[in-house]
Amino acid sequence: MYNIILIFVCLLLGILLQKVKRLPANTYKRLNYIVIYFCLPSLALFYIPKIELDTKLLYPIAVTWISFTVSWLFFSLLGKKYGWSRKLTGCLIMTAGFSNTSFLGFPIIQALYGEEGLKMAILVDQPGTFVVLSTLGVFVATLYSKGSSNGVQIVKKIIFFPPFIAFLLACFMNLFHFDFHQYIQYGLQKIGSVMTPLAMLSVGLQLRFDRRSKHFKFLGLGLFYKLILTPAIIYLLYVVVLDQHSKMIQVSLMEAAMAPMISSSIIAASYGLKPRLCSMMIGFGIPLSFITLLFWYFAANSIL
């Protein structure tokens, strides 16, 4: 509950700070810089070395790989059909393709399914969401930020992207069963813990409630995919097609139904992929998700 309250407090504070004239106009960019270059790498170095993988856990791990891949196909096809700009297409792929599986997902899953459910939620988040964001997410953000793609430039941006470097280092640490000293781990955890408050401040600073905004129709489409289609795809694939019925599948479905991911929206905005729409996806998506989550919770309970 504390995490959820903190999200709304920081979002509201960011909106209120828009009225402070002395505040630099690029404050949100500075906050984004801290989130991307310090918080995300710290989280990777803290969590990934501790993950124990098993083939039985592929269902929760695959949730984000599936949802992001389908998001890429879905919005790229719509973009070509309706002549959208590359930045608009990339924005929708990035913001609708990732769920907020940790900061929103963890407390909600823990409240609904206990410690056992939380362990499964971590699998959705770390080897799932975080890995996809550090690899395919960075690739898509780079690809769609340019009018024409240059393979060498895209590879360079991915390789030298701080969260990706941290991800690779963390994977090697996991492979060789190495972890940092507890004092370093404590520091990494503390740095990573400020990610969501800073990110929500950034979102609040950019959020505008303009009824005439041209982004509203794309906002509706993006949130429809994220909050309705994504969990529907996971339900159909896991429950109907693969005939899986367990608490692990329940947790996987609920994580798929979470609001848009804050980190992916921050990265998309930092690459110039319609920053205003990125903020709207978060600002409107989080409160709306509490309504849609009720439906998916009942759907998840019907699995067993």
Side-chain angles (χ1 to χ4, degrees):
M1 182 61 69
Y2 166 78
N3 288 349
I4 297 171
I5 294 174
L6 182 61
I7 282 179
F8 285 104
V9 169
C10 292
L11 179 64
L12 179 60
L13 180 60
I15 294 173
L16 294 176
L17 286 175
Q18 294 180 20
K19 308 298 182 181
V20 179
K21 296 181 179 180
R22 294 184 179 181
L23 195 69
N26 64 342
T27 299
Y28 74 91
K29 292 183 179 180
R30 297 178 182 179
L31 294 176
N32 292 352
Y33 181 90
I34 296 173
V35 169
I36 293 173
Y37 287 85
F38 293 95
C39 298
L40 287 177
S42 297
L43 289 174
L45 293 172
F46 178 78
Y47 282 109
I48 293 179
K50 300 175 178 60
I51 294 173
E52 295 181 7
L53 299 180
D54 189 293
T55 54
K56 296 180 181 179
L57 305 176
L58 289 177
Y59 287 112
I61 293 174
V63 167
T64 306
W65 291 93
I66 294 170
S67 61
F68 183 77
T69 301
V70 176
S71 173
W72 192 352
L73 293 172
F74 181 74
F75 289 111
S76 61
L77 288 174
L78 286 180
K80 290 180 179 179
K81 181 177 180 180
Y82 294 107
W84 295 347
S85 68
R86 293 179 62 84
K87 291 185 177 182
L88 174 59
T89 302
C91 171
L92 290 172
I93 294 171
M94 290 291 293
T95 55
F98 290 97
S99 296
N100 196 324
T101 51
S102 58
F103 205 78
L104 270 182
F106 288 176
I108 291 175
I109 294 300
Q110 186 174 26
L112 296 176
Y113 301 102
E115 292 298 321
E116 183 183 356
L118 180 59
K119 292 179 182 178
M120 299 172 190
I122 291 174
L123 290 170
V124 178
D125 183 67
Q126 290 301 309
T129 302
F130 196 91
V131 173
V132 179
L133 179 65
S134 301
T135 53
L136 292 180
V138 178
F139 175 80
V140 167
T142 307
L143 179 66
Y144 284 88
S145 65
K146 300 290 183 181
S148 57
S149 57
N150 183 306
V152 175
Q153 291 180 352
I154 292 175
V155 172
K156 283 184 177 180
K157 284 194 174 185
I158 294 174
I159 292 176
F160 293 106
F161 187 60
F164 183 72
I165 295 173
F167 162 71
L168 290 179
L169 176 59
C171 286
F172 279 110
M173 292 170 63
N174 185 298
L175 182 64
F176 293 102
H177 305 287
F178 172 80
D179 207 344
F180 291 113
H181 189 276
Q182 60 180 357
Y183 293 130
I184 298 178
Q185 292 187 49
Y186 178 80
L188 292 171
Q189 187 179 28
K190 289 301 180 183
I191 294 172
S193 67
V194 302
M195 181 198 74
T196 297
L198 293 180
M200 292 310 297
L201 273 175
S202 173
V203 170
L205 285 168
Q206 300 173 75
L207 192 60
R208 302 287 188 277
F209 297 96
D210 183 3
R211 296 180 180 178
R212 295 175 296 178
S213 174
K214 62 181 180 180
H215 293 313
F216 269 108
K217 62 179 180 180
F218 301 112
L219 172 69
L221 180 61
L223 291 179
F224 175 74
Y225 176 86
K226 177 71 220 54
L227 303 178
I228 305 298
L229 284 184
T230 295
I233 290 169
I234 297 300
Y235 183 90
L236 288 173
L237 180 60
Y238 284 9
V239 180
V240 178
V241 177
L242 298 178
D243 195 27
Q244 296 296 313
H245 303 269
S246 67
K247 180 177 286 188
M248 183 179 294
I249 302 302
Q250 286 182 313
V251 172
S252 299
L253 175 61
M254 289 299 293
E255 284 283 54
M258 294 295 164
M261 186 184 189
I262 299 170
S263 301
S264 65
S265 299
I266 292 294
I267 290 176
S270 70
Y271 274 78
L273 303 179
K274 301 294 181 181
R276 185 67 58 80
L277 180 55
C278 290
S279 297
M280 292 172 69
M281 285 287 289
I282 297 297
F284 288 92
I286 290 176
L288 185 59
S289 69
F290 287 103
I291 299 174
T292 56
L293 278 170
L294 288 174
F295 169 79
W296 291 113
Y297 175 65
F298 288 114
N301 283 344
S302 69
I303 291 175
L304 295 178

